[in-house]
Each structure stands twice: as structure tokens, then as C-alpha cells.
Amino acid sequence: MTDPKYPRSEVNSEKCKGCGLCIAACPMHVLVESPKLNSKGYHFAEYVGKGCVGCGNCFYNCPEPDAILVYLKNYDPEKEV
Amino acid sequence: MKKTMLQKPKGFIDEYKHKAGAEKDRTHYCPGCGHGILHKLIAEALEDFGLVDETILISPVGCSVFAYYYFDTGNFQAAHGRAPAVATAASRANPDKIVISYQGDGDLAAIGGNNILQAANRGENIVVFFINNAIYGMTGGQMAPTTLEGQVTTTTPYGRNTDTDGFPIKMSEVLSQLTAPTYIERVSLHDAPHIRKTRNAVRKAIKNAKERKGFQFVEVLSTCPSGWKMDPVKSMKWVKEKMLPLYPLGVYRDLGDDAKITTRPVPVMDPVAVWEKLGISAEADVDFPRGDVAEEYRKLSIRVAGFGGQGIMVTGQALASVALEYGYNVSWLPSYGPEMRGGTANCSVNIQDGQIGAAEAVKPSMLLAMNRPSLEKFEEAVEPGGTLIYNSTLIDIEPTRADIKVFAIPITGIADELGNTRVQSMVNIGAYAAITDMFRVEDVIALLPKLFKGKKQAILDLNAKAVKAGFAYVKDNFK
Amino acid sequence: MARMLMKGNYAAVYGAAMAGCTAYYGYPITPASEIAESAASLFPKLGRTFLQAESEVAAINMVYGAAGSGQRVMTGSSGPGISLKLEGISYCAGAALPCVIVDIMRGGPGLGNIGPEQSDYNQVVKGGGHGNYSSIVLAPNSCQEMCDYTMKAFELADKYRTPVFVLTDGVIGQMMESVTIPEPVKELPDKSDYAVYGTPLHKNLVNSIYIDHDDLEEWNLTLHKKYQVIKKEEVMYEEYMMEDAEIAVIGYGSVSRVLRTAVDAARAKGIKMGLFRPVTLFPFPEKEIAAMPGKGVKHILTVELSTGQMVDDVNLALAGSIKSDLYFRLGGNVPSADEILGKISELYGEVK
């Protein structure tokens, strides 16, 4: 079975301040520090693309209101308004 | 409704319009700052409970001074330490709203220590979120009241020394000594499971506030990577290793369903009701008809003086009160100055038509001396042609002035014969009425219930007798 | 009956109640405590808020909270308490919040004493707290005026969104006079453009921070303009026998009453003396004082219960056109009318 699209964590690379708290909090170790810098000079966090279980740790550990978005397991794009 | 995604909660403003500068889409907080985490938990709870539009948030001074940039609520920014005072008034003005006081450790536990203590003690219906990160962040890393022993800050460069700097203050423990608070819990942001617990505490406090359950206090152990000069991840470990042992997590107070529900009265604003409630009648004032008052008594500046306890102030106030009912302008002024200290008392009364100038009877046209020191002190000052009434029961000397009218009246004696020396003031009023013809005895007696509000009929009767006795003594002895 | 014998301190609270003041936050201090006491007695009868705050500082910050919540709100204090409140008053001015502060001045500096002085003039009239601001200052001299001007203070506070002081001394606060209670206001101004009510339509911000330098400069200029309008529109004063006066005595509050008696006594002796009484101290009636020399006034004597605080404003207004003099008493002592006349003849013996 291929990796499901959801759950999935999505980091806004421009709003991320590279504090690393989400990376430390991720039980699946699927968030990493990007080798790239954003326009503010931060090594932002990145989702490796698979393995997210939708626990939400990264979202709640992230101090920035919308640097991280988590699509939970039950997310259905068809039903979203 | 079950969440399908975790995203910027609606408790936050879409675009941070109040924020200075260009970056209106992100916070001013440093990377890894605990404020942002707590902000998110509060904003999420407000959204989830549908309370965003019913919340008033007070931003303190400190790093969270700009909390108002972010929350889509009504917002106050308060002076340093005073958020609980501002929150108190906002809550009293809007009793059905959620009022949040968001404070750091310097703000809450140092400069605002008494404000939080007293707001908690009053059981104000507010939620306090207290970020404890053991340092002053905004001002650049100085010692906070919660700074740990030995912790290096810019104002404890050799480490906090408890001999000179005291010990870290445990606010949850302190406040839990009070009777009024409903809910006090200390939580921590140092890892994901504890952030979940913090989330629960935040939600519980806000829910309690919605139910108007009084004072809610959530102390949140947090980080200050910049102030601590530590990376964010290590900062979280530092909370766990250093702060937790000193600041035990847990619930310090939870009254649950026993919490008293806060109720506040609704202000009466209708003009008619306002006067009614205060006992002010809308009917026009009707003056007593005036008697035939001699010219010399139509503009009186009176000094009443004697021992404290002789009813000096009451006599003066009664003169003014009764004269007022005849439509005179009146003033009454209690004494100031050294004579207050010797156990003597005096007051000045002005009774006249037209505007009253100086309130103090420096050169009285009438002196009512109830004891010898008063006679000695004030006799000289009486205007030539003026009037002296003195208490011959207690004054064993003769007045010296020949250019004034003198009435020696055994005031204390008359009162004593009536069975109570405390009615001397009404003997005075009776005597004054007889001398000046300004008051009619029956008018004074009719006013007694107003002069002695709440007193029993027997007391009023006794005072009526005193008025009559004072009046009769003058009429019998001086005409 | 609307006519009552009451202390000036009580009268201020009746004025507040009639003005629709719904909250009183204060801390006890002699000789202003009866203000708190009468609010504690009257306000609960009207379902309004009375709260004895934990400190003067807390009280003024509660005033800030109430004013920001759209309430008409008042506090009262005296010298040392006003010193403590100044920070909060600066916040109110900075956030453009209307509120009323009654100051019953006592002797200072430090603990001083509880006798009447006018030694708060500078700290009240000149802003007092940090930053560029002024409060409107009304100076009643009778119990009726304590009531009426407190009521007026609320109108001015709302009109200009600014703190307004009712400034008087222990004599007026402690004395009793006949007061006719005015009718309660029927309508209160709409404050929904700035007040925080915690409703979807009123997500306002009460704030005095402008972190950007240009923003703060602009805000200060806005405030400055407001004070210029106040200076133009709101000056109040009273004159007594000034028409042909060659000597003008200037005083406010309880002093102005002694001066009135002194004017009567002077006129009885044929001395052409008149009384000029500033009713507003900010704005100060500077034009009227500046015009005095041109109207035949030869001598000006300012009388204060302070070592010369208001006289600075008198002299600024006169701009050196004529020399003015000062007489003062301190420490709780109040000059008598005779004392004033003695000073007049000592200074201006040639007049008579």
C-alpha cells in the first residue's frame, strides 16, 4: 500500500522560524530541518513526505499560529468548504 | 464537531493589523517562545467554545505586551502589573463576558504582586494565564521573582543569591492559600504530553469563566530561549530538569461544581428611578415661613466651640440644617488645625441670604462657647455688637467683653435635668431659636426625624424636650 | 426634596450619580475618604459598582478598565494618592479614555498633614505623569459646585475623551452646604467607536503603545491639537467687582471665598478691589488675566495655599506687562480676609 495523502503535516516555510520544537516533538521523526534557508534566514522545518500519524504534536508545539498545518486522518478534501 | 485539520485557530486575527511594520502575518515572538504555544491553545479554545466574540483580553507589559496584535477579541493593553485591576473593571462592566488577564512573571509576581493577590482574593470572575519563564524577556533577561537560585541573568550575573535576592516565588502555592479562587493549576509546556495537559487546563479555565465561576488561574512553566541564551529544544529540557523540581505541577485548587456563580447587579439608569432609589423627591422644596428676625441676626457667622463629646459638630450641623429649611444659604465647616488635638472641637456656621464668602467664622457675629477654654480662646474675636452664648454650667468665669450681648445659659445642666447630657445640642438649638427668632420650636421638632435619621421615637422625644427647655430658659430669663 | 445639606465630598458623588457614573474605584485617604464612603453608600442602591481597591494604583487602573469598557467612572483621592495615580492617569490620557478624578488637596510634601493646601496644583494642572498630556481641571469652591462640576466633568471627559480633574482642597471637601441635586442625565454618549464590550461589533483596542516613532509622534500631535481646542473652548472663570477694580486678587477653590469676603471688606473701605477666580485651571484663563492691565488693573495679588504654583500661570499670562505679587499660607493654615487686606495695604499702601 502506498503512503496515504492524509494524515499529513505541512510547514509554511516562510512563517517557520526554525526553532526545531516540532522536529523534537514528532514521535514518527518525519519532520526534519531543511538544508535550505527561508527569506528570514531560518532553516525551516520540512515534512519528509510520509509517515505522519496525525498526532498533532508538531502543531501544538509550534509557537507560530500558522507555520504548521496538520491534515488529520479523517480529512476529506471533498467535504471541506 | 470533530476536527479534520489543525490550523491557525479562529481566535487569532487573520491579519495582525495592529502590528507595527510590514510583517503582519507572523508574531513578534522569538523562535521557540512559549508565549506562542500558549497563545495558540487559548485561541483554539476560544474558537472551539464559540467565545471569540465574547472575550476581552488584557495584554500586560512584558513580551506579551503585544498579545493584542493576535487575538480577535476585545483588547486592552494595561500598565505594568495592573492587568488584574484592569480585568477587574472590565469584568464588572461586562459581567457576562470572558475576561482574560495574560501576564508574565515580572508583571504578575513582582510589580503587580498585590494586584493579582487582591483580584484573586476578591474572586474576580476572570481568567489569569501566568507565563512563568523565570526571567524578564522583554527588557533583556533580568532577574524575575521566579528566577531560580543560582540562575544567571543580566541582573544576577553571579547567579541568583538567595541571601540578597530572596527565593523564587511560587505563585500557585501562594494564591492557593486564599479562600476565593475557584481553580488554580500549574502546568508546563516542556513536551508534547504536557502541552496537552496545558491545553486541558486552558480549556477548563475558559469554560469555568463562561459559567461565571469566579477566579481561574493557570500558571504555565515556559521557556525564554533568548533570555536564557539556550536553543529552544534545550530550553524545554531545562524546564523539565530545573524548573519542575522547584515548581511542582498539578491542581492546587478546584472547587468544581461548588464554585460560586458570580452575579452582578444591573445599574439603574432611568432618571426617575435614580431619584426614587436615592430618596430624592421631585417635588419643589417648600421653605418654612420665616419669623420676624432682627436685623443683627439676618447674616450670622457663628463659632460653636467646646469639648469633643459636647455635641459641638451636631449643634453646628443642626443650626445649618434648620436654617436651610427657612431658605437661608448656610455653610458648616469643622475645625482644622492644632485645636483639634487638645480634645476640643469647634465648627463654623454661616447663615445668610446671598452668597457666603469665607466659611470659617474668623470674626464671628455669634459665639456659642460650651467650655471655658473655648470662651477664653474665641471671646476676643467676636465682632463688636455680636452675641455670646455660653454654657454657665461648666464655665466659672465671667465674659470680659462689654460691647457684645451675653447669654449665660446652663446648657449642660438643662440637659442633665432632662436625664441625658447628650441632648445639649438640642438645648442649644432651642436657646438659639429663642434669642434670634429665626426658628420656631415646632418647626425644629418637626425636623428632628430628619436630623436624627434612624433614631428611636424615645430619643426624638427627648430631643424635642431639650429644644423646648432651651427655648423656655431664654424666654424665662432674658426678656 | 432635591435640596440637602451635605459635605463637598458627598456632593461630588451625587454629581457623579446624576451624571450616570456607573463605577467608582477608590482607596481611602483623608480628607477625601467621604467620597469613597458616600459612593459605597449610594452606588449599591443604584446597582452600580463600588469597589475599594487594594491601592491608589489599582484604583486608577480599574478606572482605566472601566473607562475602556465604556463606563462613566470616577475615583477620588488626595495629594499622596494622586501622586501614586499619575502613572495610570497618563495611561488614560494616552489611550484617550474619559474619566473623572476628584482631588481633595491636603498638606505636603511627603505625608504632610490632612489640613487644606493647594499644593497639588502643579502635579494636576501640568499633566503630572509622564508624557505630553494635560487633564482638564475644574476647581469648585462650594458644595453645590462640587456636585455640578463633577457632573460637568463627566461631560467634558466624554466630549474630549480625556481625564478630567475636580480639584479642590480639604475646606470644600469637608464643609457642608446646601446642595440642590440636579436632575439625572437622560442619555449617555455612544462610545461604541472605542469601548471594549466583548461583542462581535466592538472588538476595539484600548492602548497607549505606538512602537513606531512616527506613529507616536502623530498620536502626540493629535493629542496636542485636542488640548489646543480645549484651551480655546473650555475656559471658565468668575469675576466679582472687577468692573472698576484697580487691585485684582486672584485665587481658586476655598481661597476664592476668603478673597470674596476680603473684597467686600475692601470695598467697604473704598478700596477698588475685585476678585478674579479661575474655575478651570487647565485651560487657564490666560487671556482674561492678560487683559487686566488694559482694563485699569494696577496691582495683581495671587493668593494660594501653596508657595506659588498657580502664580506661575498668572505671570505667564501677564508676560511681564505688570508686576504681580503672591501671598500664601501653608501647612493647613488658611488666610483670613483681614490678613489679605493687611497684605494689600502693605504692598499697595498708596491705594488707600
Side-chain angles (χ1 to χ4, degrees), chain B residues 93-133:
Chain B
N94 301 286
D96 55 342
K97 302 300 176 188
I98 314 297
V99 178
I100 296 174
S101 177
Y102 188 106
Q103 302 181 260
D105 40 35
D107 192 81
L108 182 139
I111 196 166
N114 194 30
N115 298 114
I116 190 63
L117 193 69
Q118 303 290 338
N121 193 47
R122 288 190 300 266
E124 293 297 339
N125 189 45
I126 62 174
V127 184
V128 180
F129 292 117
F130 169 41
I131 282 273
N132 176 359
N133 58 10

Side-chain angles (χ1 to χ4, degrees), chain C residues 10-339:
Chain C
Y10 274 76
V13 176
Y14 272 96
M18 297 310 128
C21 170
T22 47
Y24 183 94
Y25 294 99
Y27 189 81
I29 182 169
T30 310
S33 295
E34 292 95 347
I35 300 177
E37 288 166 3
S38 50
S41 152
L42 297 188
F43 276 33
K45 290 182 188 171
L46 301 174
R48 303 185 187 180
T49 301
F50 168 83
L51 195 155
Q52 181 172 326
E54 60 268 27
S55 66
E56 298 280 5
V57 174
I60 193 65
N61 282 282
M62 289 170 183
V63 166
Y64 177 91
S69 300
Q71 288 185 304
R72 282 193 163 175
V73 57
M74 180 165 101
T75 187
S77 191
S78 180
I82 296 297
S83 303
L84 284 165
K85 284 187 195 297
L86 285 174
E87 183 207 30
I89 294 166
S90 167
Y91 273 71
C92 290
L97 293 182
C99 59
V100 174
I101 305 129
V102 184
D103 178 5
I104 310 297
M105 291 182 281
R106 59 185 251 179
L111 204 46
N113 69 23
I114 58 172
E117 260 195 14
Q118 296 180 321
S119 49
D120 289 357
Y121 184 94
N122 280 347
Q123 74 164 349
V124 167
V125 176
K126 306 296 180 183
H130 61 285
N132 300 293
Y133 78 93
S134 299
S135 306
I136 295 175
V137 185
L138 301 172
N141 78 351
S142 69
C143 297
Q144 184 68 54
E145 286 191 0
M146 283 294 277
C147 180
D148 296 347
Y149 288 166
T150 301
M151 205 165 167
K152 185 178 177 64
F154 281 97
E155 286 165 31
L156 290 171
D158 280 334
K159 183 172 173 187
Y160 294 102
R161 282 184 59 185
T162 194
V164 178
F165 271 91
V166 176
L167 181 74
T168 194
D169 56 66
V171 172
I172 306 299
Q174 295 294 318
M175 75 187 290
M176 286 177 126
E177 286 184 298
S178 165
V179 175
T180 300
I181 308 298
E183 280 185 29
V185 291
K186 293 190 176 67
E187 228 174 306
L188 291 171
D190 175 41
K191 303 183 178 184
S192 55
D193 57 332
Y194 70 90
V196 174
Y197 298 128
T199 64
L201 292 175
H202 305 107
K203 290 188 176 177
N204 292 312
L205 167 65
V206 170
N207 179 34
S208 61
I209 304 182
Y210 295 84
I211 202 78
D212 181 88
H213 295 195
D214 291 335
D215 289 349
L216 184 58
E217 184 174 53
E218 194 188 318
W219 174 237
N220 264 274
L221 290 174
T222 305
L223 289 177
H224 183 67
K225 265 183 215 151
K226 172 162 86 179
Y227 302 135
Q228 299 315 307
V229 175
I230 290 169
K231 282 172 96 162
K232 209 173 135 222
E233 304 286 336
E234 304 299 342
V235 172
M236 288 167 65
Y237 59 90
E238 195 182 274
E239 289 177 319
Y240 180 59
M241 302 226 171
M242 280 298 292
E243 299 77 19
D244 60 343
E246 292 175 3
I247 300 172
V249 284
I250 303 183
Y252 70 99
S254 69
V255 170
S256 66
R257 298 178 59 138
V258 176
L259 295 180
R260 189 185 173 94
T261 301
V263 166
D264 286 339
R267 290 280 171 173
K269 290 181 184 175
I271 301 171
K272 287 187 174 173
M273 185 161 111
L275 162 66
F276 185 84
R277 172 200 164 207
V279 173
T280 51
L281 300 176
F282 180 86
F284 194 71
E286 46 199 39
K287 273 190 206 129
E288 290 71 18
I289 289 173
M292 280 180 189
K295 290 180 176 171
V297 173
K298 293 179 183 133
H299 305 286
I300 292 178
L301 177 67
T302 299
V303 182
E304 299 182 39
L305 303 181
S306 46
T307 50
Q309 299 193 18
M310 183 176 73
V311 74
D312 290 349
D313 283 333
V314 172
N315 284 332
L316 275 176
L318 290 171
S321 59
I322 58 171
K323 182 178 157 292
S324 99
D325 296 289
L326 169 68
Y327 183 65
F328 57 82
R329 291 297 304 271
L330 302 167
N333 292 313
V334 178
S336 67
D338 279 357
E339 216 174 316

